[in-house]
CSV table of all heavy atoms in Angstrom, one decimal:
chain,number,residue,atom,x,y,z
A,137,GLY,N,175.9,2.0,12.3
A,137,GLY,CA,174.8,2.9,12.0
A,137,GLY,C,173.4,2.4,12.6
A,137,GLY,O,172.4,2.9,12.2
A,138,ASP,N,173.5,1.4,13.5
A,138,ASP,CA,172.2,0.9,13.9
A,138,ASP,C,171.6,1.8,15.0
A,138,ASP,O,172.2,2.8,15.4
A,138,ASP,CB,172.3,-0.6,14.4
A,138,ASP,CG,173.1,-0.7,15.7
A,138,ASP,OD1,173.4,0.2,16.4
A,138,ASP,OD2,173.5,-1.9,16.0
A,139,GLU,N,170.4,1.4,15.5
A,139,GLU,CA,169.7,2.3,16.5
A,139,GLU,C,170.5,2.5,17.8
A,139,GLU,O,170.5,3.6,18.3
A,139,GLU,CB,168.4,1.6,16.8
A,139,GLU,CG,167.5,2.5,17.6
A,139,GLU,CD,166.1,1.8,17.9
A,139,GLU,OE1,165.8,0.8,17.3
A,139,GLU,OE2,165.4,2.3,18.8
A,140,TYR,N,171.2,1.4,18.3
A,140,TYR,CA,172.0,1.5,19.5
A,140,TYR,C,173.1,2.6,19.3
A,140,TYR,O,173.3,3.4,20.2
A,140,TYR,CB,172.6,0.2,19.9
A,140,TYR,CG,171.6,-0.8,20.4
A,140,TYR,CD1,171.0,-1.7,19.5
A,140,TYR,CD2,171.3,-0.9,21.7
A,140,TYR,CE1,170.1,-2.6,20.0
A,140,TYR,CE2,170.4,-1.8,22.2
A,140,TYR,CZ,169.8,-2.7,21.4
A,140,TYR,OH,168.9,-3.6,21.9
A,141,ALA,N,173.8,2.5,18.2
A,141,ALA,CA,174.9,3.4,17.9
A,141,ALA,C,174.3,4.9,17.8
A,141,ALA,O,174.9,5.8,18.3
A,141,ALA,CB,175.6,3.0,16.6
A,142,ARG,N,173.2,5.0,17.1
A,142,ARG,CA,172.6,6.4,16.9
A,142,ARG,C,172.3,7.0,18.3
A,142,ARG,O,172.7,8.1,18.5
A,142,ARG,CB,171.3,6.3,16.1
A,142,ARG,CG,171.5,6.1,14.6
A,142,ARG,CD,170.3,6.4,13.8
A,142,ARG,NE,169.2,5.4,14.0
A,142,ARG,CZ,169.0,4.3,13.4
A,142,ARG,NH1,169.9,3.9,12.5
A,142,ARG,NH2,168.0,3.5,13.6
A,143,LYS,N,171.6,6.2,19.1
A,143,LYS,CA,171.2,6.8,20.4
A,143,LYS,C,172.5,7.1,21.3
A,143,LYS,O,172.5,8.1,22.0
A,143,LYS,CB,170.3,5.8,21.2
A,143,LYS,CG,168.9,5.7,20.5
A,143,LYS,CD,168.1,4.7,21.3
A,143,LYS,CE,166.7,4.7,20.7
A,143,LYS,NZ,165.8,3.7,21.3
A,144,ALA,N,173.5,6.2,21.2
A,144,ALA,CA,174.7,6.4,22.0
A,144,ALA,C,175.4,7.7,21.6
A,144,ALA,O,175.9,8.5,22.4
A,144,ALA,CB,175.6,5.2,22.0
A,145,ILE,N,175.6,7.8,20.3
A,145,ILE,CA,176.3,9.0,19.7
A,145,ILE,C,175.5,10.3,20.0
A,145,ILE,O,176.1,11.3,20.3
A,145,ILE,CB,176.7,8.8,18.2
A,145,ILE,CG1,177.6,7.6,18.1
A,145,ILE,CG2,177.3,10.1,17.6
A,145,ILE,CD1,178.9,7.7,18.9
A,146,ASP,N,174.2,10.3,19.8
A,146,ASP,CA,173.4,11.5,20.1
A,146,ASP,C,173.6,11.9,21.6
A,146,ASP,O,173.9,13.0,21.9
A,146,ASP,CB,171.9,11.2,19.9
A,146,ASP,CG,171.5,11.5,18.5
A,146,ASP,OD1,172.2,12.2,17.8
A,146,ASP,OD2,170.4,11.1,18.1
A,147,TYR,N,173.6,10.9,22.5
A,147,TYR,CA,173.7,11.2,23.9
A,147,TYR,C,175.1,11.7,24.2
A,147,TYR,O,175.3,12.7,24.9
A,147,TYR,CB,173.5,9.9,24.7
A,147,TYR,CG,173.9,10.0,26.1
A,147,TYR,CD1,173.1,10.6,27.1
A,147,TYR,CD2,175.1,9.4,26.6
A,147,TYR,CE1,173.5,10.7,28.4
A,147,TYR,CE2,175.5,9.5,27.9
A,147,TYR,CZ,174.7,10.2,28.8
A,147,TYR,OH,175.1,10.3,30.1
A,148,LEU,N,176.2,11.0,23.7
A,148,LEU,CA,177.5,11.4,24.0
A,148,LEU,C,177.9,12.7,23.4
A,148,LEU,O,178.7,13.5,23.9
A,148,LEU,CB,178.5,10.3,23.5
A,148,LEU,CG,178.4,9.0,24.4
A,148,LEU,CD1,179.2,7.9,23.7
A,148,LEU,CD2,178.9,9.3,25.8
A,149,ALA,N,177.4,13.1,22.2
A,149,ALA,CA,177.6,14.4,21.6
A,149,ALA,C,177.1,15.5,22.6
A,149,ALA,O,177.8,16.5,22.8
A,149,ALA,CB,176.9,14.6,20.3
A,150,GLY,N,176.0,15.2,23.3
A,150,GLY,CA,175.5,16.2,24.3
A,150,GLY,C,176.4,16.2,25.5
A,150,GLY,O,176.5,17.3,26.1
A,151,GLU,N,177.0,15.1,25.9
A,151,GLU,CA,177.8,15.0,27.1
A,151,GLU,C,179.2,15.5,26.9
A,151,GLU,O,179.7,16.3,27.7
A,151,GLU,CB,177.9,13.6,27.5
A,151,GLU,CG,176.6,13.0,28.1
A,151,GLU,CD,176.3,13.5,29.4
A,151,GLU,OE1,177.1,13.4,30.4
A,151,GLU,OE2,175.2,14.1,29.6
Side-chain angles (χ1 to χ4, degrees):
D138 70 13
E139 187 182 347
Y140 288 92
R142 286 196 291 274
K143 287 179 177 174
I145 296 302
D146 270 345
Y147 169 78
L148 290 168
E151 291 287 302

